[in-house]
């Protein structure tokens, strides 16, 4: 029997002071839901799914309802879930009618011989497997309509750095170790503000924004997706853990590599099957939560 561990993130960026409480509450609620699964002997896979569902439902985050809008004013969501015991994975990209894309991703993992579905095909798969579809408008909130309007007005006459760390990166993710010694990871996002329709980021791509293998580690990332994709950063980090490096060091090393190699920014949570974990970011803040049977902590400010 292993001691369970759950690590959660709720985005890495310059989270403003007046949003700190909402972020901390969000990761706390997600922790409570995920931990309930682990404490009654449930699967790491179920724990990361339940934790991510809570954050998809929380409008604080760029996942599910309340996500950033794309250039056309629509919500387009991506999510991935992966099981470290079997390497089975399920991903959805560019879905517009799912409140909880991670639920559809989980169905793909469990019920499909395939790994990844996009757009209408993903929605059709979800509907055929009992997941109700919503309207895209049901996922849009006034705050995001205003944010997009303001952003588009600003970028119309000035060159704005689309990927400055001050721009919100509120993707959510979780990594877990269960009592049987299996690890899992899940990541869910609305992507980047004003993204081109059809643009897919790192979050839902295996090895980029999410990865899990009992023999290496489970990882979930957040931040500017394109640089993370170029480095296949979640897999990069997991592989380094397999060579014997501590997840704590590897997470920090991965974020340094992201900065040095492609001038990227973001954050990562990393966990191996021995329960060793790492949390790192090079943005001013990252919302995170950690729980073991002996310890529980929540954070938002970078510790230097
Ligand atoms: N990584 C996500 C993406 O590029 C965004 C984020 O983490 O906020 O789609």
């Amino acid at each position: 029997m292993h001691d369970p561990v759950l690590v959660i993130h709720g985005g890495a960026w310059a989270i403003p002071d007046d949003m700190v409480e909402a972020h901390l509450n969000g990761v706390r609620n997600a922790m409570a839901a995920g931990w309930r699964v682990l404490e009654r002997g449930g699967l790491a896979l179920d724990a990361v799914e339940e934790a991510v569902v809570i954050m998809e439902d929380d409008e604080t985050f760029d996942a599910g309802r309340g996500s950033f809008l794309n250039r056309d004013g629509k919500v387009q969501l991506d999510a991935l879930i992966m099981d470290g015991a079997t390497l089975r994975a399920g991903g959805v990209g560019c879905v517009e009618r799912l409140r909880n894309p991670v639920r559809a991703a989980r169905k793909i993992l469990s019920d499909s011989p395939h790994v990844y579905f996009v757009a209408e095909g993903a929605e059709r798969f979800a509907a055929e497997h009992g997941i109700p579809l919503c309207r895209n408008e049901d996922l849009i909130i006034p705050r995001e309509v205003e944010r997009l309007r303001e952003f588009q007005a600003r970028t119309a006459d000035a060159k704005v750095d689309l990927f400055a760390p001050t721009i919100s990166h509120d993707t959510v993710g979780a990594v877990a170790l269960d009592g049987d010694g299996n690890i899992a990871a899940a990541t869910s996002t609305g992507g980047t503000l004003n993204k081109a329709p059809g643009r897919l980021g790192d979050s839902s791509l295996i090895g980029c924004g999410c990865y899990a293998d009992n023999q290496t580690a489970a990882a979930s990332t957040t931040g500017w997706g394109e640089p993370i994709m170029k480095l296949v950063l979640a897999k990069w980090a997991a592989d380094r853990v397999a060579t014997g490096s501590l997840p704590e060091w590897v997470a920090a090393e991965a974020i340094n590599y992201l900065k040095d190699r492609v001038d990227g920014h973001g954050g990562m949570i990393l966990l191996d099957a021995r329960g060793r974990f790492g949390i790192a970011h090079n943005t001013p803040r990252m919302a995170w939560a950690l729980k073991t049977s002996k310890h529980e902590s929540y954070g938002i400010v970078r510790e230097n």
Side-chain angles (χ1 to χ4, degrees), residues 42-275:
L43 301 178
L45 200 56
D46 289 329
V48 294
E49 179 182 350
E50 294 312 317
V52 165
V53 161
I54 296 291
M55 293 187 282
E56 287 177 338
D57 288 342
D58 185 334
E59 292 174 10
T60 303
F61 301 107
D62 178 32
R65 182 175 149 83
S67 285
F68 282 157
L69 303 182
N70 70 9
R71 203 173 58 198
D72 291 349
K74 281 188 157 188
V75 166
Q76 263 187 355
L77 304 170
D78 313 325
L80 187 95
I81 187 165
M82 186 159 181
D83 176 19
T86 61
L87 298 191
R88 291 179 75 178
V92 294
C94 296
V95 292
E96 297 182 354
R97 296 188 297 155
L98 290 170
R99 280 185 184 274
N100 295 110
V102 75
R103 292 261 192 245
R106 176 61 191 274
K107 273 280 177 217
I108 292 166
L109 180 153
S110 313
D111 294 10
S112 169
H114 306 304
V115 167
Y116 205 96
F117 284 77
V118 297
E120 294 94 318
E123 291 163 1
R124 196 191 308 169
F125 177 92
E128 284 168 2
H129 289 78
I131 297 177
L133 299 183
C134 64
R135 299 173 312 157
N136 195 253
E137 302 87 88
D138 299 334
L139 303 174
I140 298 174
I141 63 171
R143 178 192 72 205
E144 294 307 321
V145 174
E146 180 51 26
R147 196 202 299 267
L148 182 70
R149 194 199 56 73
E150 208 185 280
F151 184 86
Q152 291 184 337
R154 242 178 341 125
T155 46
D157 46 34
K159 202 167 164 6
V160 170
D161 181 3
L162 236 185
F163 301 113
T166 44
I167 290 180
S168 163
H169 288 297
D170 268 332
T171 292
V172 304
V175 291
L177 166 67
D178 63 29
D180 293 331
N182 294 316
I183 54 176
T187 307
S188 182
T189 190
T192 47
L193 176 61
N194 197 43
K195 66 186 178 181
R199 176 266 186 193
L200 199 69
D202 61 310
S203 308
S204 65
L205 296 180
I206 286 196
C208 298
C210 187
Y211 195 71
D213 180 350
N214 279 3
Q215 293 181 9
T216 62
S220 174
T221 68
T222 174
W224 176 16
E226 279 74 5
I228 294 172
M229 287 156 77
K230 289 173 190 169
L231 300 181
V232 196
L233 200 64
K235 178 78 160 73
W236 185 94
D239 286 349
R240 260 152 195 82
V241 173
T243 65
S245 301
L246 273 178
E248 187 187 344
W249 287 103
V250 173
E253 219 189 330
I255 297 302
N256 288 340
Y257 177 47
L258 177 67
K259 177 68 190 163
D260 295 346
R261 185 70 184 92
V262 284
D263 199 23
H265 60 259
M268 171 181 285
I269 54 175
L270 189 63
L271 172 70
D272 72 6
R274 291 163 64 182

